[in-house]
Amino acid sequence: MAATGSEKQGTKAFYVTTPIYYVNDAPHLGHAYTTVAGDVLTRWHRQRGEKVWYLTGTDEHGQKIMRTAEANDVTPQAWCDKLVEEAWKPLWEHLNIANDDFIRTTQKRHTDRVQEFVQDLYDKDEIYKGGYEGPYCVGCEEFKLPGDLVEAEDGTKLCPVHKRPVEILKEENYFFKLSAYGPKLLEFYEANPGFIQPESARNEVVNFVKQGLDDLSISRSTFDWGIPVPWDEKHVIYVWIDALLNYATAVGYNENPAKFEETFPADVHLIGKDILRFHAVIWPAMLMAQGLPVPGRVAANGWLMVGGEKMSKSNLTGIKPQDLTSHFGVDAYRWYFLRAIAFGQDGSFSWEDFTARYTSELANDYGNLASRVAAMVGKYFGGELPASAADGDAEKAVHEGLAKAVAVADAKIGEELDFQAGILAIFDFVKQVNGYITEQEPWKVAKDESEEGRARLATILYTAAESLRAVAVLLNPIMPETSQALWDSLGAEASLGALASQPVQDAATWGQLPAGATVTKGAVLFPRLEEPKKD
């Protein structure tokens, strides 16, 4: 049995991938949701001090891309180049996505290696020639089973994802012997119950494989926008075989053995649930056939819904991320979707919900806490962080609350991919610190100018500032811009060094922010929202 990613030890990087996205149009919120999740996950692991590799990119072959290019009266390559450079890459930069590589399936480093991989399978007698006739969804670029389809009122068979009629294909193709891998896949799923997440997705895949697998058509012969089959150039390689191999070609498959050994396989493939079978059935079977290790985990996120429909361009519910970042800011955008929606489940978006959470949790709870603490250190101690005196029960409760928040956040975000629970643990601690300040009433303690009164005031404000130091560290993978602003406000850069170098797992170690640090009141972290413009 092939080894999983988690079984490889030593210097292997923590390797995370997003799907490579079709460039038939500009990216929308659904694409950004998965990519931000991957960015938060990899930033978290980097801040653990781990070696990390984060891959994203674009899927540029196939009939859907060809037809879109034709509709726009340009070549497929020109269409892809324009979309990648003018829409996809700029958005990831705008959203502070810290990917290590961006793979395009039209790049020679990819196309050559795909041909080599498929040729190897052909030489091993894993591929044979045959004929195919059946339903195909160009939107999904997927051969559909009759049981997958839904029926319109007039009896037309529709793709369940795109709600559009499927096309009936009849053509000569090459087939991969996928049916032979059903028992091996089931054995693998049984031995690795965490391979597919969430559990509902795992159950779906297991039940699907138990019904028996058909061999997979891995070529198309009725159009030419794709990678040629190396032994028969009348065919192009099926776009999904091409696409899945990006996870190997991008990290040196058949080209850079050292890079490949220290990176592959992926520890986490982040995907949308509509492409689950490709990643949890076809991809591991391809790797098994080639004698390569199988990924550590395939994590399927749910759909973002608007008006009860999956967010996509095809059903007119696509929303540009810039529509939201221009109003709420980039950091709030990165925070909101992971905070509001349990990863792995469908979730609905609304302006009203975003506005309410922004105002309550970011502006009132978190931003106001940072402003109040900086203002009080400035007012009562001239902007110089005082040394804490003896900690009492109230302070010890804060220490314990922080330790709990760090432990929960590290487990939930770093290991379980439960971003919502991890963020909630951090913000529960923010609420605790707010409650601590309310109960201790430093503005009243400040009226006591005795030595004891000053010492007590110093302890309260040090406790609050040190708590914020830890919050900045914990929220840095999620909200890097505002975390850096808070870090600077606390004078932490000068005394503790770069924020990104602070280990998240050590954030609860108390007393890291030194007395004497210069605390300044900077710009408001989360400004009051203006009314959105109405069309």
Side-chain angles (χ1 to χ4, degrees):
M1 182 59 62
T4 65
S6 60
E7 291 171 342
K8 292 195 72 176
Q9 302 296 321
T11 60
K12 185 189 178 303
F14 181 71
Y15 179 26
V16 177
T17 74
T18 71
I20 51 171
Y21 303 107
Y22 287 126
V23 288
N24 57 308
D25 213 325
H28 57 62
L29 295 185
H31 304 119
Y33 175 54
T34 309
T35 310
V36 168
D39 188 64
V40 170
L41 178 62
T42 48
R43 283 178 183 264
W44 192 276
H45 279 262
R46 285 192 190 98
Q47 249 184 272
R48 280 178 166 182
E50 298 174 19
K51 185 178 181 180
V52 170
W53 197 258
Y54 183 33
L55 175 69
T56 189
T58 45
D59 187 359
E60 303 181 12
H61 289 129
Q63 203 167 8
K64 178 160 62 172
I65 304 298
M66 185 185 73
R67 289 183 179 178
T68 302
E70 289 172 349
N72 286 273
D73 200 27
V74 296
T75 67
Q77 188 66 64
W79 177 259
C80 294
D81 291 345
K82 177 181 174 65
L83 264 290
V84 168
E85 298 302 327
E86 296 182 9
W88 289 86
K89 285 184 176 180
L91 178 61
W92 296 161
E93 183 176 353
H94 174 65
L95 294 178
N96 274 329
I97 305 299
N99 53 294
D100 296 286
D101 194 5
F102 188 102
I103 183 77
R104 297 181 58 184
T105 58
T106 52
Q107 292 172 330
K108 186 174 174 59
R109 63 165 173 159
H110 175 74
T111 58
D112 286 356
R113 304 291 86 77
V114 168
Q115 287 187 311
E116 291 166 4
F117 187 100
V118 173
Q119 181 70 59
D120 285 347
L121 290 184
Y122 184 71
D123 293 343
K124 292 176 179 177
D125 198 32
E126 294 283 353
I127 292 174
Y128 65 92
K129 196 172 189 177
Y132 176 82
E133 182 175 4
Y136 188 85
C137 173
V138 175
C140 293
E141 292 284 14
E142 182 179 8
F143 300 95
K144 297 290 185 180
L145 297 174
D148 291 336
L149 305 178
V150 295
E151 190 169 304
E153 291 183 3
D154 63 0
T156 303
K157 299 295 185 180
L158 307 178
C159 166
V161 176
H162 293 92
K163 305 297 191 294
R164 291 182 176 181
V166 293
E167 299 179 13
I168 302 301
L169 293 185
K170 184 176 182 180
E171 60 183 31
E172 181 184 72
N173 292 338
Y174 286 94
F175 287 80
F176 168 56
K177 295 178 180 177
L178 180 63
S179 60
Y181 288 89
K184 296 177 183 179
L185 288 167
L186 291 172
E187 180 185 348
F188 177 75
Y189 302 150
E190 180 69 24
N192 299 275
F195 173 64
I196 305 169
Q197 294 182 342
E199 187 176 357
S200 58
R202 180 182 186 278
N203 293 338
E204 175 193 327
V205 168
V206 170
N207 290 335
F208 173 74
V209 176
K210 281 182 176 179
Q211 294 172 16
L213 297 175
D214 293 329
D215 289 344
L216 176 71
S217 173
I218 59 98
S219 75
R220 298 292 308 277
S221 57
T222 54
F223 64 92
D224 62 0
W225 180 238
I227 301 173
V229 170
W231 64 88
D232 186 347
E233 295 203 351
K234 295 178 182 177
H235 294 248
V236 294
I237 296 169
Y238 174 41
V239 65
W240 265 105
I241 300 299
D242 167 2
L244 288 165
L245 281 166
N246 93 90
Y247 305 130
T249 63
V251 293
Y253 171 74
N254 264 17
E255 186 174 28
N256 186 338
K259 173 71 175 176
F260 191 70
E261 177 65 24
E262 70 184 15
T263 311
F264 194 83
D267 293 86
V268 180
H269 285 310
L270 296 174
I271 63 166
K273 66 179 183 179
D274 51 334
I275 56 175
L276 175 63
R277 292 179 188 175
F278 295 105
H279 288 81
V281 179
I282 297 172
W283 179 226
M286 289 167 58
L287 293 172
M288 290 174 180
Q290 197 69 295
L292 291 172
V294 176
R297 192 175 350 176
V298 173
N301 61 255
W303 287 342
L304 294 185
M305 315 292 282
V306 175
E309 290 286 336
K310 177 195 174 188
M311 191 173 295
S312 68
K313 292 293 182 183
S314 60
N315 59 26
L316 304 180
T317 57
I319 298 174
K320 291 189 292 186
Q322 295 91 331
D323 295 340
L324 300 183
T325 59
S326 63
H327 183 65
F328 296 99
V330 170
D331 268 13
Y333 175 96
R334 290 170 58 95
W335 166 87
Y336 170 74
F337 288 97
L338 298 181
R339 157 66 184 91
I341 300 169
F343 196 79
Q345 299 179 17
D346 293 346
S348 296
F349 162 77
S350 74
W351 281 87
E352 294 78 9
D353 185 61
F354 198 160
T355 300
R357 293 183 190 277
Y358 176 101
T359 301
S360 173
E361 298 179 43
L362 294 184
N364 293 348
D365 289 349
Y366 178 32
N368 189 44
L369 173 63
S371 295
R372 291 169 73 198
V373 172
M376 287 189 287
V377 173
K379 180 177 181 179
Y380 301 130
F381 291 95
E384 182 176 307
L385 184 67
S388 177
D391 289 333
D393 290 343
E395 288 70 45
K396 290 176 182 177
V398 173
H399 302 172
E400 292 170 0
L402 175 58
K404 179 182 177 182
V406 171
V408 172
D410 194 30
K412 294 298 182 182
I413 296 174
E415 300 298 332
E416 300 175 29
L417 276 60
D418 189 347
F419 301 101
Q420 184 183 65
I423 291 171
L424 286 174
I426 299 167
F427 274 79
D428 281 346
F429 178 67
V430 169
K431 291 178 185 293
Q432 182 181 356
V433 178
N434 273 311
Y436 167 80
I437 291 176
T438 299
E439 292 171 1
Q440 301 306 313
E441 300 180 313
W443 48 90
K444 289 186 178 179
V445 176
K447 295 176 182 178
D448 180 357
E449 297 183 356
S450 67
E451 185 175 335
E452 292 80 5
R454 293 290 289 175
R456 182 63 195 151
L457 181 61
T459 296
I460 296 169
L461 294 184
Y462 181 85
T463 299
E466 172 66 353
S467 297
L468 285 171
R469 184 273 312 162
V471 170
V473 172
L474 294 173
L475 288 179
N476 187 49
I478 302 155
M479 298 190 285
E481 289 184 352
T482 49
S483 296
Q484 185 64 53
L486 176 57
W487 193 250
D488 293 340
S489 171
L490 294 170
E493 189 86 13
S495 55
L496 298 177
L499 176 56
S501 68
Q502 310 300 311
V504 287
Q505 69 272 29
D506 297 339
T509 301
W510 194 259
Q512 295 185 47
L513 193 62
T518 301
V519 178
T520 55
K521 187 176 181 182
V524 175
L525 295 183
F526 300 99
R528 183 176 178 273
L529 294 173
E530 300 293 331
E531 286 294 321
K533 294 179 181 179
K534 305 287 186 182
D535 291 333

